Amino acid sequence: AGGGAAMAEGEGLVSVDYEVSGKVQGVFFRKYTQGEAKRLGLVGWVQNTSHGTVRGQIQGPTARVRELQEWLRKIGSPQSRISRAEFSNEKKITALEHKDFQILK
């Protein structure tokens, strides 16, 4: 068992991909997403796509992941306008596959 097991408090870890549509580029959406993910203790990544959306992956304890999903769906960065947040490829994982939460170019 790794040292991170205690942190999850018997709660399973999940990985989920996301894509957020709306006015989400040029409004510091990635920076705010990274900040929120770190506050929740989640790992993964976020990046702008060529078609004007923001996408990425979140991994961590289920309840925390749910919190970030809700944040991505409803809140986002102060100047963003979220029209849709889609989540896919959700799966249980036994260990985190990322060291931290990164903004990818």
Side-chain angles (χ1 to χ4, degrees), residues 94-105:
T94 52
L96 299 173
E97 296 159 347
H98 309 284
K99 283 198 269 299
D100 53 16
F101 197 94
Q102 293 185 304
I103 293 176
L104 302 182
K105 291 286 181 277

Side-chain angles (χ1 to χ4, degrees), residues 14-19 33 37 42-47 54-60 65 68 72 87-91 93 96-98 100-102 104:
V14 294
S15 172
V16 64
D17 297 344
Y18 62 90
E19 184 163 9
T33 300
L42 300 172
V43 301
W45 52 273
V46 59
Q47 74 178 159
V54 168
R55 71 181 190 105
Q57 187 175 69
I58 317 163
Q59 295 187 346
V65 169
L68 190 60
L72 286 166
F87 301 99
S88 56
N89 300 326
E90 183 166 320
K91 57 182 192 284
I93 52 173
L96 299 173
E97 296 159 347
H98 309 284
D100 53 16
F101 197 94
Q102 293 185 304
L104 302 182

